Amino acid sequence: MSELTVITPPAGEALSLQAAKEMLRLGTDGEDALVARLIASARAQIEVASGLALVSRTLKRTWTRWPVAVAHGGAALRPGPVTALVSVTRIDGAGTEEDLSARFEVCGGKLRLKAGWAMPGIAAGGRVEVVFVAGFGAAEAVPEDLVHALKLWVQAAYLRGAENPPVGIPEDVQRILDAHREWAI
């Protein structure tokens, strides 16, 4: 079982309200609340569809058993890109915590056991919590093509109307997301 919890949410959106309004050619503030909701919705949907966190945030991934890949090359932490490993904590069934951070590292977005360390077990009723930072950085650091994908999604949603949001990923947005997809061989 794997569970993802947001510890620290992103400080802002990757697409500013002003940039979205310029894309939509809105010259008034009358629909600012709607456009802000569309930006947040577009970002969330793009992040889910791409497996990426656009603006940095701190996340916690919880497992009741280790993914096999952790000891064999590394298990991908999602969403990516992962920029820092904050902690790895084992918690037993009684709630006693043990810091295992020194045994692990993140390499290429994957959590892996460092050389020379034995894989720590997880007792029945226990879990391991991996806290990490994911995202491209501040809003200004998000790649331009992903910001453009946000604009396209907001535009599609705005043109369809608040009562009739887009179903699925707009084709032009999907092409941009495909360029960021990691392919496993």
Side-chain angles (χ1 to χ4, degrees):
M1 177 193 118
S2 177
E3 181 181 310
L4 184 67
T5 306
V6 176
I7 303 295
T8 306
E13 294 292 349
L15 175 61
S16 71
L17 178 61
Q18 187 58 40
K21 286 172 62 175
E22 287 172 13
M23 175 78 169
L24 298 171
R25 297 185 176 160
L26 295 176
T28 67
D29 299 338
E31 295 191 279
D32 283 5
L34 169 63
V35 175
R37 284 193 310 274
L38 293 176
I39 292 169
S41 176
R43 186 224 353 111
Q45 292 178 58
I46 284 175
E47 288 179 338
V48 168
S50 66
L52 298 171
L54 299 183
V55 178
S56 289
R57 78 249 0 227
T58 304
L59 303 165
K60 177 175 66 178
R61 178 72 65 188
T62 303
W63 287 302
T64 54
R65 61 187 164 124
W66 291 107
V68 175
V70 171
H72 305 286
L77 289 173
R78 292 284 177 255
V82 176
T83 57
L85 178 63
V86 176
S87 66
V88 179
T89 306
R90 177 173 51 187
I91 303 164
D92 67 17
T96 305
E97 297 183 6
E98 179 183 4
D99 183 14
L100 303 175
S101 303
R103 298 181 185 200
F104 294 91
E105 63 187 351
V106 170
C107 186
K110 294 181 179 182
L111 177 70
R112 69 180 186 189
L113 188 63
K114 288 181 180 176
W117 287 95
M119 183 59 114
I122 300 174
R127 66 188 184 279
V128 66
E129 295 178 346
V130 178
V131 179
F132 60 99
V133 178
F136 291 99
E140 304 79 41
V142 177
E144 287 183 34
D145 62 335
L146 291 173
V147 174
H148 186 65
L150 281 167
K151 289 178 182 179
L152 293 172
W153 201 314
V154 167
Q155 182 181 47
Y158 183 82
L159 293 174
R160 287 185 60 112
E163 311 80 36
N164 192 19
V167 177
I169 301 170
E171 227 176 272
D172 43 1
V173 172
Q174 185 62 58
R175 284 192 295 275
I176 294 169
L177 298 183
D178 286 347
H180 287 271
R181 177 165 290 146
E182 291 182 19
W183 300 97
I185 298 177

